[in-house]
């Protein structure tokens, strides 16, 4: 059964995050340089912030854009982003890359860490074009564009989706456990690797 977070609209998420931050509508409006009426419209789902205001809201509230925009409620509001230099890590044991070493270093007490294979979920039209042009070409292009590594980290009581790049490590608290081998999260399809680190 899906939780209350899954049924929240964008407006309800903005209102909840604003309340949690201890801000009034007027205070939030002043911080964003918009009118209080704009905040009211957003929170009542009678209007939608533009992308710049969405980014500002996410930063201000310490949440991800995925959290604000998620219709499936895959992530809680907890998102941690930390700068790293992946070249400072050395792979050891079952680690196959510096990215593996970075995530294991960040979560040394994790019960298990599964590397994930990520593929962007194609729209119907993209899938048709992909099939006509050359099956798999859009997936390869997307993989070349996003060279980061993804992991599911089991901390015992919860799972995190972790993204490691050369410059940062971002962890998102998953609302639903990653118990199956394959899972669609937002616009991506993830498959657990056959090995753990």
């Amino acid at each position: 059964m899906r939780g209350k977070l899954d049924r929240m609209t964008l407006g309800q998420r903005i209102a909840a995050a604003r309340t949690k931050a201890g801000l009034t509508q007027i205070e939030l409006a002043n911080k964003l340089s918009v009118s209080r009426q704009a905040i009211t419209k957003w929170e009542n789902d009678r209007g939608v912030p533009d992308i710049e205001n969405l980014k500002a809201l996410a930063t201000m509230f310490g949440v991800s854009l995925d959290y604000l925009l998620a219709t499936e409620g895959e992530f809680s509001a907890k998102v941690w982003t930390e700068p790293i230099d992946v070249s400072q890590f050395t792979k050891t044991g079952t680690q196959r890359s510096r990215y593996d070493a970075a995530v294991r270093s960040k979560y040394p007490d994790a019960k298990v860490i599964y590397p994930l294979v990520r593929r962007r979920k194609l729209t119907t039209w993209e899938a048709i074009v992909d099939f006509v042009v050359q099956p798999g070409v859009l997936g390869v292009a997307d993989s070349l564009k996003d060279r980061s590594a993804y992991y599911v980290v089991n901390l015992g009581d919860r799972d995190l989706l972790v993204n490691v790049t050369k410059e940062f490590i971002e962890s998102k608290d998953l609302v639903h456990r990653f118990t199956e081998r394959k899972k669609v999260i937002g616009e991506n399809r993830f498959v657990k690797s056959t090995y753990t680190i």
Side-chain angles (χ1 to χ4, degrees), residues 186-197:
E187 295 181 358
N188 296 301
R189 296 179 190 275
F190 293 99
V191 179
K192 286 182 183 176
S193 293
T194 54
Y195 73 99
T196 61
I197 57 171

Side-chain angles (χ1 to χ4, degrees), residues 80-98:
W80 305 269
T81 304
E82 297 175 41
I84 63 164
D85 179 2
V86 80
S87 67
Q88 301 298 312
F89 295 92
T90 306
K91 59 184 180 175
T92 60
T94 59
Q95 301 163 3
R96 297 186 180 182
S97 71
R98 292 175 188 256

Side-chain angles (χ1 to χ4, degrees), residues 113-185:
I113 299 175
Y114 287 99
L116 300 173
V117 176
R118 182 200 65 85
R119 295 285 181 258
R120 189 172 62 84
K121 190 172 73 173
L122 300 178
T123 66
T124 303
W125 286 109
E126 287 173 328
I128 291 169
V129 168
D130 188 60
F131 180 76
V132 170
V133 173
Q134 174 67 40
V137 74
L138 291 180
V140 170
D142 181 55
S143 295
L144 292 173
K145 189 171 99 176
D146 182 356
R147 305 287 291 187
S148 60
Y150 292 85
Y151 302 86
V152 62
V153 177
N154 179 288
L155 298 176
D157 61 337
R158 68 191 200 279
D159 287 344
L160 303 176
L161 178 66
V162 178
N163 180 17
V164 181
T165 71
K166 291 180 180 179
E167 297 88 25
F168 70 85
I169 183 167
E170 180 180 74
S171 305
K172 298 177 182 179
D173 215 354
L174 290 171
V175 172
H176 305 288
R177 301 298 294 263
F178 199 131
T179 54
E180 52 280 330
R181 186 162 182 268
K182 300 177 182 180
K183 188 172 181 73
V184 175
I185 300 175

Side-chain angles (χ1 to χ4, degrees), residues 34-50:
V34 299
S35 68
R36 186 199 54 78
Q37 290 81 3
I39 303 296
T40 301
K41 283 182 181 179
W42 297 346
E43 291 185 357
N44 291 321
D45 293 305
R46 292 194 324 258
V48 177
D50 63 26

